[in-house]
Amino acid sequence: MLDWYKRGTRVERMTFWGCFAGWGLDALDVQMFTLAIPAIVAAFGIDHTQAGAISAVTLVSSALGGWLAGALSDRLGRVRTLQITILWFSAFTFICAFAQTFPQLLAFKALQGFGFGGEWAAGAVLMAETISPENRGKAMGAVQSAWAVGWGAAVLLYAVAFSWLPMATAWRVMFGVGLLPAILVLYVRRNLREPARFSTPEKQTQTPILLQVAEVFRPQVLKTTLIGMLLGTGAHGGYYAIMTWLPTFLSKERHLSVLNTGAYLAVVIIAFWCGCMASAYLLDRIGRRRNIALFALCCIVTVLSYVMLPLSNLQMLVLGFPLGFFSAGIPASLGALFNELYPAQMRGTGVGFCYNFGRIASAGFPVLVGYMSHSMSLGAAIGIDAGVAYGIAMVSVLLLPETRGKRLRPTTAEKSAIPTNGADLALKSARSQR
């Protein structure tokens, strides 16, 4: 599994760790909110629907940020865009700690989302264009496992903060720690380089951003974009329906304490990491389509069992492992698949659009869970929403072509720069000696 890392170049390894750290710190900042929902509800006197609205607004803004960052990465470069987005989401996570009203927190979380969505879009394309085709699935799946690392760090921070500090202070301290990812920019500036495939043709740099995003609806890629939008919706909808409300489900319906909630989440998080690594292996073994469809089917069965069956606490602890394991497989696959569906000159735009459209469309799922919980149990609401979402993901991925092992196409500018015969090579050599 790790042979690709040993055989990789220094640039590949440095890029892997830069993106791994970025994605892990993204998870730290984002998962802090899901853990702090009960404290935020108490602090501002809001209900579950309003708490779900914060998550929804963050998802929508992260999608818009992903669209913008994807287009900017095609224009400014992958590495530069990555630096901008890391600084952005770090700063606004920190500012969330000082929110005094519900509308203020809503606005700060929305601004945080712009950077969060943009970081993934820039980092995913950077990874895809740096790693060799035969190892792309393994490397990008392994990068996705950083989410489990950041999530685990958030749970540890949650356990410490809420065990030692008053609830009204603890959630603010958690958001204050969110400034730490800004340090990662120093590593990115020193060690990461633009892929050789990246170029900024003069015509492209003059294209307005909105028109550049609209390129994903060109006839040549329209079908891919429409199906990719559905896949992103199902993948994100299922994940956020579960993970936004899981801590609240454990504490309010299962009546677990802070430390016990952390123990149950620890099982899910460790399983999530294992699921990412398994998906990374299967991506290059059985292909992108089969892998996503398999994990989506398993997600439906597992989440319905977890939240709807009359399980004991011990049984829930055991079932938490497959819940986390299977929920990891789809997000670990999307980066490789979406990058392989688009040509280089619009790759960042296409990847950012499909992945982040799913965030916009899925923003309704956490809100719907909160709304449905007024007329049914929270567990039932989570199960119904997640089951529908994963069903959408399973059907849509089967409509896409298999892209395993595909070489990413160079831009038009790069094609024209490649000598086509011996005479061209000789001419190029002669010119370089002058």
Side-chain angles (χ1 to χ4, degrees):
M1 177 62 193
L2 296 178
D3 287 346
W4 72 267
Y5 182 84
K6 297 176 183 177
R7 295 194 304 266
T9 65
R10 181 181 181 278
V11 171
E12 289 179 327
R13 290 193 292 269
M14 292 297 99
T15 302
F16 171 81
W17 285 116
C19 293
F20 186 96
W23 194 231
L25 292 169
D26 260 3
L28 171 67
D29 284 2
V30 172
Q31 293 298 142
M32 284 191 300
F33 171 73
T34 67
L35 294 163
I37 284 178
I40 291 173
V41 167
F44 296 115
I46 59 178
D47 59 23
H48 282 174
T49 301
Q50 290 172 300
I54 297 177
S55 178
V57 167
T58 306
L59 290 176
V60 171
S61 66
S62 71
L64 297 176
W67 291 353
L68 178 62
L72 285 176
S73 72
D74 286 336
R75 176 175 298 191
L76 301 178
R78 319 312 193 193
V79 175
R80 186 182 300 178
T81 305
L82 185 63
Q83 295 174 41
I84 294 171
T85 55
I86 291 172
L87 287 174
W88 184 281
F89 81 72
S90 301
F92 281 102
T93 301
F94 178 74
I95 292 173
C96 284
F98 301 95
Q100 298 300 309
T101 64
F102 169 69
Q104 285 182 6
L105 182 62
L106 193 68
F108 295 154
K109 284 289 291 177
L111 290 169
Q112 178 211 40
F114 277 103
F116 164 59
E119 193 275 338
W120 187 91
V125 180
L126 176 63
M127 277 287 297
E129 292 181 340
T130 302
I131 305 297
S132 59
E134 62 272 16
N135 295 321
R136 188 178 301 126
K138 290 186 279 290
M140 298 195 71
V143 161
Q144 190 73 31
S145 72
W147 187 268
V149 177
W151 190 1
V155 171
L156 289 175
L157 179 61
Y158 161 76
V160 171
F162 279 81
S163 296
W164 291 92
L165 297 171
M167 186 170 66
T169 304
W171 72 269
R172 295 184 184 277
V173 171
M174 289 179 69
F175 280 112
V177 175
L179 188 62
L180 292 178
I183 301 173
L184 178 62
V185 172
L186 300 176
Y187 177 91
V188 172
R189 287 178 62 87
R190 175 170 296 187
N191 295 286
L192 272 60
R193 299 290 180 268
E194 289 294 342
R197 295 180 180 85
F198 174 73
S199 64
T200 52
E202 182 179 352
K203 181 180 178 181
Q204 187 182 39
T205 59
Q206 295 176 349
T207 304
I209 289 291
L210 292 179
L211 292 179
Q212 190 174 330
V213 173
E215 289 287 300
V216 298
F217 293 104
R218 290 169 51 189
Q220 298 91 325
V221 294
L222 178 59
K223 179 182 176 182
T224 294
T225 298
L226 294 177
I227 298 174
M229 290 161 62
L230 280 176
L231 176 56
T233 299
H236 288 298
Y239 177 83
Y240 285 110
I242 299 170
M243 299 308 171
T244 298
W245 289 106
L246 184 59
T248 304
F249 170 74
L250 292 174
S251 63
K252 298 301 183 183
E253 290 203 357
R254 303 300 303 191
H255 306 294
L256 299 175
S257 66
V258 169
L259 292 178
N260 283 334
T261 297
Y264 278 71
L265 289 175
V267 172
V268 175
I269 293 167
I270 293 171
F272 188 94
W273 184 87
C274 294
C276 284
M277 301 305 291
S279 181
Y281 173 78
L282 291 174
L283 276 171
D284 290 329
R285 182 66 121 178
I286 66 174
R288 286 39 167 159
R289 295 168 72 248
R290 290 181 180 177
N291 185 64
I292 293 176
L294 174 63
F295 274 88
L297 177 61
C298 293
C299 278
I300 294 172
V301 175
T302 306
V303 69
L304 290 177
S305 301
Y306 190 82
V307 299
M308 292 189 171
L309 292 180
L311 303 174
S312 67
N313 286 346
L314 178 59
Q315 289 170 330
M316 288 192 67
L317 184 66
V318 173
L319 193 59
F321 190 89
L323 178 71
F325 184 91
F326 293 123
S327 67
I330 302 176
S333 308
L334 294 182
L337 175 61
F338 284 153
N339 271 286
E340 293 162 349
L341 292 173
Y342 287 95
Q345 62 268 27
M346 64 186 324
R347 183 168 298 126
T349 305
V351 171
F353 183 85
C354 286
Y355 189 87
N356 289 290
F357 176 87
R359 281 194 175 135
I360 285 186
S362 70
F365 284 86
V367 178
L368 188 58
V369 169
Y371 177 77
M372 291 171 63
S373 68
H374 294 306
S375 57
M376 63 180 69
S377 69
L378 181 60
I382 292 171
I384 292 170
D385 278 25
V388 170
Y390 284 128
I392 293 172
M394 184 172 63
V395 172
S396 59
V397 74
L398 296 177
L399 301 176
L400 290 171
E402 179 55 58
T403 58
R404 176 178 50 167
K406 182 177 181 180
R407 291 196 171 274
L408 300 183
R409 290 174 286 176
T411 62
T412 302
E414 288 172 322
K415 286 180 179 179
S416 64
I418 299 174
T420 56
N421 54 47
D424 290 337
L425 286 171
L427 180 60
K428 183 177 179 181
S429 176
R431 286 175 176 172
S432 65
Q433 293 174 4
R434 290 178 183 178

